[in-house]
């Protein structure tokens, strides 16, 4: 998804900081990049299709290095293909206004027709350029740039995060506005900053404010003033963000994804830390989240999420129904919001989202609230829209996840859901103190158990196994019960970063169709544990082997491994904790295969880290 940065300083050039900020946001996925600065009473800009390196090559011979105010953008194309002309920033006809934008201007065609009739010339195919000309035109009657932005936005329908830089000879003006995709702002003594992601501001300060929908912010060195679209002043208190900017570096790892796989022992320890009450064999979340009075009468839980987070939601169904005693429905956010859902009284919507800015999940959660549901969230980004719009929040403390393919955030989500299931079970009396204590103690063992799977020997074994699958025609990931969603996640991880075809299926469904796929070119990955369904999984493996199929058994069941002939072994655990443990070798398998195939593991083609538009 598009990345936006902006800065205005009392003195000293902003260009290097803008480019550095865009580099930090690269992980969000993009196909072109550009910057604009205000220098000596003029707006100067440069933009290029492709990676940031292309832009930096263009900047070396440019005159942008002296500007004291500027904006930057990495574009993930929605309207108009990736090209130099369609890259942001876009300039208004006067040449005194530059704009960058994340989102979609839905009535862009009508507005463009008006502007064309007024004689405005367009140089791109984008909806964004329409907004640049609109704001430029409104400046004639506006008191200042923020007034012109508010006037223009009253004409616009759609959703956007935007930053506008204007230079009229009296010094630069820097304004940003939000309706949908996120925007953060901050200031220090001699400067002010904006970005679509806290990581773009963290190198300058940890005290960061998050704009709400309808906010317009004016940035000046040492100050940020925020109003609503009507011009009324609003306050957005700064939050202290405890992420370490160092965390956004690769730290010597070949890829962020591998670094983040190896961070999981610490991440899981951080996610459960301080939340287990050993004495009561219960769970305590911050700010009274999911306390007894809030959960005792919950009639149903409606999980809403996308992608990997949805797989955590499917696992949540097994855990919450099994331990918490609450009926659970799970749905793709993009389906839930349009299928005319029925919400029974006493429903809690549970949004699961790493970024907390996924447009479909936010919209679906808002719909659930409109239909009478209370709202809970499991999220990785404090201050994100999902967090701010939820009644009960569990943060996953995974730190910034830079690799587009989610790893540590997923296992942290599942750990958080396990804690929530215990909380619900204890609040509603469906989980005994002894059973709760056993699960909580196993959660504490995750760190050492996962560390044992990330040792050099274990990782080398995964690579050796991966070699015999790196050229397969396709993969079928099979799992039963609480490990069925793990099969879905394993398939998604592989297809995301290796571009190979892979699908996840309930193992019991194999004979209802997928069994036709079995041949030596198709690898069947069987995900299991030693739980009550182990016998049935072994039978599935036998069925595949009997048809000459290739089976890779993943999990803690030695009998499954023996039948399969090749395996990725996982430490034994309770069935409830097996999804987290089984996920780790699947992450390593996908990483190894993608690495062997020379894929762009951290920034897979066409993918964005946070999909903040529909
Ligand atoms: C994760 O590997 C994927 N890149 C993607 O499916 C992601 O899980 C999905 O877009 C949801 O994102 P969120 O967790 O930030 O809401």
């Amino acid at each position: 998804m598009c990345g936006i940065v902006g800065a205005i300083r009392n003195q000293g050039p902003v260009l290097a900081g803008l480019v550095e900020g865009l580099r930090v946001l690269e992980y969000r996925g993009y196909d072109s990049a550009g910057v604009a600065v205000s220098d000596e009473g003029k707006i100067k800009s440069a933009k290029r299709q492709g990676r940031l390196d292309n832009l930096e090559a263009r900047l070396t011979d440019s005159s942008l290095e002296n500007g004291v105010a500027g904006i930057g953008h990495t574009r993930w194309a929605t309207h108009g293909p990736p090209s130099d002309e369609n890259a942001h920033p876009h300039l208004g006809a006067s040449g005194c206004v530059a704009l960058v934008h994340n989102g979609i201007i839905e009535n862009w065609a009508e507005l463009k027709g008006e502007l064309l009739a007024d004689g405005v010339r367009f140089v791109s195919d984008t909806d964004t350029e329409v907004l640049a000309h609109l704001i430029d035109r409104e400046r004639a009657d506006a008191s200042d740039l923020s007034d012109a932005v508010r006037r223009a936005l009253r004409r616009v329908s759609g959703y956007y995060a935007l930053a506008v830089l204007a230079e009229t000879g009296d010094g630069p003006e820097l304004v940003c506005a939000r309706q949908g995709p996120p925007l953060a702002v901050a200031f220090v003594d001699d400067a002010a900053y904006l970005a679509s992601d806290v990581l773009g501001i963290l190198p300058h300060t940890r005290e960061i404010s998050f704009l709400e929908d309808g906010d317009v912010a004016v940035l000046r060195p040492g100050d940020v003033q925020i109003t609503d679209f009507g011009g009324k002043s609003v306050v957005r208190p700064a939050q202290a963000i405890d992420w370490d900017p160092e965390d956004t570096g690769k730290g010597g790892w070949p890829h962020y994804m591998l670094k983040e796989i190896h961070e999981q022992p610490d991440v899981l320890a951080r996610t459960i830390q301080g939340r287990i009450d050993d004495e009561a064999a219960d769970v305590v979340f911050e700010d009274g989240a999911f306390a007894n009075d809030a959960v005792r009468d919950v009639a149903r839980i409606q999980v809403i999420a996308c992608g990997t987070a949805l797989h955590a939601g499917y696992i949540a169904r097994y855990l919450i129904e099994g331990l918490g005693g609450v009926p659970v429905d799970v749905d793709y956010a993009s389906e839930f919001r349009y299928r005319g859902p029925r919400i029974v009284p006493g429903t809690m919507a549970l949004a699961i989202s790493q970024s907390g800015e996924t447009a479909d999940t936010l919209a679906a959660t808002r719909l659930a609230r409109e239909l009478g549901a209370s709202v809970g969230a499991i999220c990785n980004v404090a201050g994100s829209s999902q967090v701010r719009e939820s009644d009960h929040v569990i943060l996953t403390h995974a730190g910034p996840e830079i690799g587009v393919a989610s790893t540590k955030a997923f296992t942290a989500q599942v750990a958080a859901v396990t804690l929530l299931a215990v909380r619900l079970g204890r609040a509603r009396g469906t989980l005994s103190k002894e059973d709760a204590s056993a699960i909580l103690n196993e959660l504490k063992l995750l760190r050492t158990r996962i560390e044992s799977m990330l040792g050099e020997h274990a990782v080398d074994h995964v690579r050796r196994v991966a070699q015999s699958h790196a050229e397969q025609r396709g993969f079928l990931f099979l799992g039963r019960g609480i490990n069925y969603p793990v099969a879905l996640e394993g398939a998604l991880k592989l297809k995301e970063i290796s571009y190979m075809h892979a699908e996840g299926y309930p193992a019991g469904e194999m004979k209802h169709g997928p069994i036709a796929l079995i041949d030596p070119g198709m690898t069947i990955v069987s995900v299991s544990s030693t739980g009550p369904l182990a016998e049935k999984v072994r039978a599935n493996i036998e069925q595949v082997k009997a048809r000459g199929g290739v089976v890779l058994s993943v999990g803690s069941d030695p009998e499954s491994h023996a039948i399969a002939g090749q395996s990725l072994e996982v430490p034994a655990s309770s069935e409830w904790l097996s999804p987290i443990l089984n996920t780790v070798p699947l992450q390593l398998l996908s990483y190894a295969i993608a690495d062997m195939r020379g894929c762009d593991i951290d920034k897979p083609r066409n993918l964005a880290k946070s999909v903040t538009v529909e």
Side-chain angles (χ1 to χ4, degrees):
M1 202 51 20
C2 304
I4 293 175
V5 293
I8 186 165
R9 303 179 64 173
N10 259 341
Q11 57 188 11
V14 293
L15 183 63
L18 292 176
V19 175
E20 194 38 52
L22 292 179
R23 233 187 235 295
V24 167
L25 299 186
E26 273 195 294
Y27 77 99
R28 299 162 63 94
Y30 69 101
D31 46 49
S32 57
V35 290
V37 299
S38 159
D39 178 28
E40 294 166 351
K42 285 198 187 66
I43 295 284
K44 301 174 181 175
S45 70
K47 52 189 187 174
R48 273 284 179 281
Q49 180 180 348
R51 294 289 188 214
L52 261 182
D53 298 345
N54 296 359
L55 175 66
E56 286 198 282
R58 170 80 181 70
L59 291 174
T60 48
D61 59 0
S62 75
S63 60
L64 279 72
E65 63 280 357
N66 299 319
V68 294
I71 52 179
H73 189 261
T74 49
R75 179 178 184 244
W76 189 68
T78 47
H79 281 78
S83 68
D84 291 357
E85 296 73 20
N86 289 338
H88 303 198
H90 288 284
L91 271 63
S94 69
C96 301
V97 171
L99 176 138
V100 293
H101 160 234
N102 179 15
I104 292 178
I105 307 300
E106 288 168 342
N107 62 333
W108 66 277
E110 170 207 333
L111 295 168
K112 183 167 184 173
E114 241 182 72
L115 291 161
L116 285 168
D118 276 0
V120 172
R121 280 186 60 257
F122 284 80
V123 296
S124 80
D125 312 322
T126 67
D127 55 337
T128 304
E129 189 185 357
V130 172
L131 200 46
H133 290 306
L134 208 56
I135 292 170
D136 197 14
R137 194 175 63 167
E138 289 295 346
R139 280 174 60 241
D141 304 323
S143 54
D144 62 12
L145 181 61
S146 66
D147 187 31
V149 169
R150 283 193 293 272
R151 286 163 174 261
L153 291 180
R154 288 184 201 120
R155 305 283 322 280
V156 163
S157 66
Y159 35 93
Y160 43 80
L162 59 90
V164 191
L165 175 71
E167 173 57 73
T168 48
D170 305 335
E173 291 180 274
L174 181 59
V175 170
C176 62
R178 178 201 172 169
Q179 182 66 40
L183 261 185
V185 294
F187 62 86
V188 295
D189 293 350
D190 63 349
Y193 301 95
L194 64 94
S196 50
D197 182 317
V198 291
L199 295 179
I201 297 180
L202 268 182
H204 309 291
T205 177
R206 292 176 184 283
E207 296 298 317
I208 299 173
S209 297
F210 296 85
L211 297 191
E212 301 273 356
D213 283 353
D215 286 357
V216 177
V218 179
L219 285 79
R220 296 185 185 88
D223 182 47
V224 173
Q225 291 299 320
I226 305 172
T227 69
D228 61 18
F229 275 1
K232 183 166 159 294
S233 181
V234 294
V235 177
R236 301 294 175 217
Q239 301 192 30
I241 302 299
D242 63 0
W243 283 0
D244 179 345
E246 282 308 304
D247 289 351
T248 61
K250 267 194 255 189
W253 291 91
H255 296 101
Y256 284 109
M257 182 177 172
L258 190 60
K259 173 184 174 222
E260 289 156 3
I261 289 172
H262 284 260
E263 286 177 351
Q264 289 179 117
D266 289 340
V267 163
L268 291 164
R270 278 207 305 270
T271 298
I272 68 173
Q273 187 178 10
R275 290 171 163 170
I276 293 179
D277 177 345
D278 288 309
E279 187 56 38
D282 201 340
V283 170
V284 181
F285 294 115
E286 297 73 28
D287 305 324
F290 301 98
N292 285 353
D293 57 348
V295 300
R296 201 171 272 142
D297 302 327
V298 167
R300 286 193 86 78
I301 287 180
Q302 171 65 58
V303 173
I304 294 169
C306 302
T308 284
L310 185 80
H311 300 154
Y314 280 127
I315 294 172
R317 173 160 58 190
Y318 292 92
L319 285 162
I320 293 174
E321 290 197 344
L323 301 175
V326 182
V328 177
D329 297 307
V330 186
D331 207 345
Y332 290 98
S334 55
E335 286 301 310
F336 179 86
R337 60 186 295 203
Y338 293 114
R339 65 175 169 80
R342 298 278 181 253
I343 293 282
V344 296
T347 295
M348 173 182 274
L350 180 64
I352 303 179
S353 176
Q354 187 284 128
S355 64
E357 300 298 349
T358 298
D360 282 324
T361 306
L362 284 167
T365 316
R366 289 166 187 156
L367 173 61
R369 186 184 287 283
E370 282 167 27
L371 296 173
S374 60
V375 175
I378 294 176
C379 189
N380 193 40
V381 182
S384 65
S385 304
Q386 199 72 57
V387 166
R388 292 204 308 282
E389 296 180 23
S390 298
D391 307 314
H392 299 274
V393 173
I394 304 172
L395 288 176
T396 46
H397 300 310
E401 185 173 67
I402 309 298
V404 168
S406 187
T407 51
K408 62 177 182 175
F410 172 70
T411 49
Q413 286 163 355
V414 180
V417 159
T418 308
L419 288 170
L420 177 57
V422 171
R423 174 79 283 274
L424 292 168
R426 300 293 290 141
R428 304 160 65 92
T430 55
L431 186 64
S432 72
K433 188 170 181 178
E434 293 69 27
D435 291 347
S437 193
I439 291 163
L440 296 174
N441 288 332
E442 286 226 50
L443 275 169
K444 294 175 190 170
L445 294 174
L446 281 175
R447 178 199 280 271
T448 48
R449 285 175 171 168
I450 290 179
E451 276 170 350
S452 73
M453 292 192 279
L454 293 174
E456 196 174 332
H457 169 71
V459 173
D460 287 348
H461 171 65
V462 174
R463 285 194 77 87
R464 280 195 301 278
V465 168
Q467 269 157 3
S468 58
H469 301 276
E471 298 306 323
Q472 284 292 73
R473 173 170 63 81
F475 292 77
L476 192 54
F477 286 71
L478 301 177
R480 279 186 181 263
I482 200 169
N483 279 295
Y484 155 51
V486 179
L488 295 177
E489 175 58 13
L492 177 63
K493 219 42 57 202
L494 182 64
K495 74 178 100 173
E496 274 190 295
I497 61 175
S498 73
Y499 312 152
M500 298 173 87
H501 183 74
E503 53 184 314
Y505 243 92
E509 275 295 301
M510 191 180 63
K511 53 191 171 302
H512 299 285
I515 200 165
L517 289 172
I518 292 173
D519 72 26
M522 170 72 77
T523 292
I524 310 299
V525 180
S526 168
V527 186
S528 66
S529 69
T530 51
L533 296 171
E535 231 350 279
K536 298 196 179 302
V537 173
R538 295 168 197 152
N540 288 136
I541 297 174
E542 296 280 11
Q543 288 161 17
V544 173
K545 298 291 283 183
R547 292 164 177 79
V550 173
V551 182
L552 172 60
S553 169
V554 177
S556 58
D557 179 27
E559 289 185 57
S560 291
H561 300 342
I563 301 165
Q566 55 174 324
S567 60
L568 298 178
E569 296 181 30
V570 167
S573 75
S574 111
E575 179 81 350
W576 301 118
L577 275 297
S578 61
I580 295 175
L581 296 169
N582 286 342
T583 295
V584 175
L586 296 180
Q587 294 168 343
L588 292 169
L589 178 72
S590 298
Y591 176 84
I593 290 175
D595 194 31
M596 290 166 193
R597 296 172 65 93
C599 295
D600 188 347
I601 289 172
D602 286 330
K603 298 193 283 292
R605 67 186 179 199
N606 307 333
L607 284 184
K609 182 62 185 173
S610 173
V611 185
T612 57
V613 293
E614 273 202 62

